[in-house]
């Protein structure tokens, strides 16, 4: 095989190996293959290519020093690529990888955006649409309640089209089965007497951290009155406009 042909074969092999290594690197960063596999593949290709370069380059046309430099350069390129692919090294750091952008369930603000109210008293909930409810309802929805937090639902009066800050009433703590994403409150009342038929109210949902969650549970166990809104330390999940369509007075349910 002529020197020129040998050089072409060597160069073609190196280019092919570099392309394969680059594809492996990108797959490791942006795909779901194991982090260690990319490093192993890059090192294996680098070693094989460096050895192929050393063996196939004609010693007569290329002195030993040139062969060593060429093979060493090829090996250095692959070692550098392997270091970049190694888990935890930029740009493959977990914080920057698209495959690790899942929401941290312990972040209340991020969790609040994931939690959705889907039904109130059996009626579906649509953004910007007032839900017509009975005087006694349950509220249910989806979304994982973050560890160490409690999800609370209450009703408040309407003040010119916005929730009143005078108080939160009939507070209920949502329950969620371990490992599930669905949640639901106990049954509670909205409004008081028959005169509240046709009146607007708001359903307010919010997250409370451990200390406040525990304190509120203990407080309500003693038949406590409503609370001022918004509750200090609460992370709002949502406010939903409702209209009571029933005259029946619903007794306050104290289950929390």
């Amino acid at each position: 095989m002529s020197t020129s042909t040998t050089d072409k074969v060597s160069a073609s092999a190196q280019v092919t190996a570099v392309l394969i290594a680059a594809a492996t690197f990108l797959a490791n960063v942006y795909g779901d293959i194991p982090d260690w596999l990319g490093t192993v593949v890059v090192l294996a290709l680098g070693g094989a290519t460096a050895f192929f370069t050393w063996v196939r380059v004609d010693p007569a046309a290329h002195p030993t020093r040139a062969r060593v430099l060429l093979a060493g350069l090829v090996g250095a390129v692959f070692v550098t690529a392997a270091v970049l692919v190694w888990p935890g090294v930029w740009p493959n750091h977990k914080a920057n990888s698209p495959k690790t952008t899942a929401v941290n369930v312990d972040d209340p603000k991020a969790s609040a955006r994931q939690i959705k109210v889907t039904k109130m008293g059996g009626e579906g909930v649509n953004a910007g649409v007032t839900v017509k409810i009975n005087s006694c309802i349950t509220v249910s929805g989806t979304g994982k309640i973050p560890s160490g937090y409690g999800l609370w639902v209450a009703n408040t009066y309407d003040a010119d089209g916005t929730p009143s800050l005078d108080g939160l009433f009939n507070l209920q703590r949502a329950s969620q089965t371990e490992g599930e994403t669905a949640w639901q409150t106990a049954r509670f009342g909205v409004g008081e007497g028959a005169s509240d038929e046709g009146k607007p109210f708001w359903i307010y949902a919010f997250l409370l951290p451990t200390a406040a969650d525990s304190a509120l549970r203990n407080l309500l166990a003693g038949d406590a009155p409503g609370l001022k809104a918004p509750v200090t330390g609460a992370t709002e999940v949502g406010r939903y406009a409702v209209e009571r369509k029933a005259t029946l007075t619903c007794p306050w349910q104290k289950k929390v």
Side-chain angles (χ1 to χ4, degrees):
M1 183 179 289
S2 66
T3 300
S4 59
T5 302
T6 300
D7 290 342
K8 290 178 181 179
V9 171
S10 177
S12 298
Q14 292 170 41
V15 170
T16 301
V18 169
L19 291 176
I20 295 174
T24 304
F25 171 76
L26 292 175
N28 185 68
V29 174
Y30 296 105
D32 293 324
I33 68 171
D35 292 324
W36 58 266
L37 183 57
T39 301
V40 171
V41 171
V42 170
L43 287 175
L45 286 171
T49 306
F51 178 76
F52 181 84
T53 301
W54 171 261
V55 171
R56 299 299 298 172
V57 173
D58 189 354
H62 301 278
T64 301
R65 181 178 297 177
R67 296 173 70 201
V68 170
L69 289 175
L70 181 58
L73 178 60
V74 172
V77 169
F78 278 93
V79 169
T80 301
V83 170
L84 290 176
V85 174
W86 187 263
V89 178
W90 183 91
N92 191 43
H93 193 277
K94 292 297 182 184
N96 296 328
S97 176
K99 61 184 177 183
T100 57
T101 56
V103 174
N104 179 3
V105 296
D106 293 322
D107 179 354
K109 291 185 178 179
S111 295
R113 292 191 293 269
Q114 298 277 326
I115 296 173
K116 305 296 181 184
V117 173
T118 56
K119 285 189 176 182
M120 286 189 278
E123 299 293 330
V125 177
N126 297 306
V129 178
T130 299
V131 181
K132 295 186 181 297
I133 61 170
N134 291 315
S135 57
C136 294
I137 65 170
T138 59
V139 175
S140 59
T142 60
K144 187 72 175 65
I145 300 174
S147 176
Y149 286 80
L151 174 61
W152 290 82
V153 176
N155 65 270
T156 187
Y157 292 107
D158 178 84
D160 298 325
T162 61
S164 170
L165 297 183
D166 288 341
L168 296 174
F169 305 100
N170 296 346
L171 289 104
Q172 296 293 319
R173 189 177 190 269
S175 60
Q176 185 172 67
T177 303
E178 183 69 26
E180 298 292 333
T181 57
W183 56 265
Q184 182 171 315
T185 69
R187 200 168 181 226
F188 66 98
V190 178
E192 296 179 339
S195 60
D196 283 333
E197 180 184 9
K199 285 186 178 180
F201 292 88
W202 289 81
I203 300 298
Y204 179 59
F206 56 98
L207 291 171
L208 281 183
T210 301
D213 176 51
S214 178
L216 186 53
R217 294 182 73 179
N218 292 332
L219 185 64
L220 291 180
D223 196 10
L227 302 176
K228 287 288 185 180
V231 179
T232 301
T235 301
E236 182 176 322
V237 170
R239 307 179 186 191
Y240 307 90
V242 297
E243 180 184 323
R244 179 171 147 171
K245 63 181 182 180
T247 59
L248 177 67
T249 299
C250 180
W252 177 36
Q253 305 292 317
K254 295 190 298 180
K255 295 179 182 180
V256 294

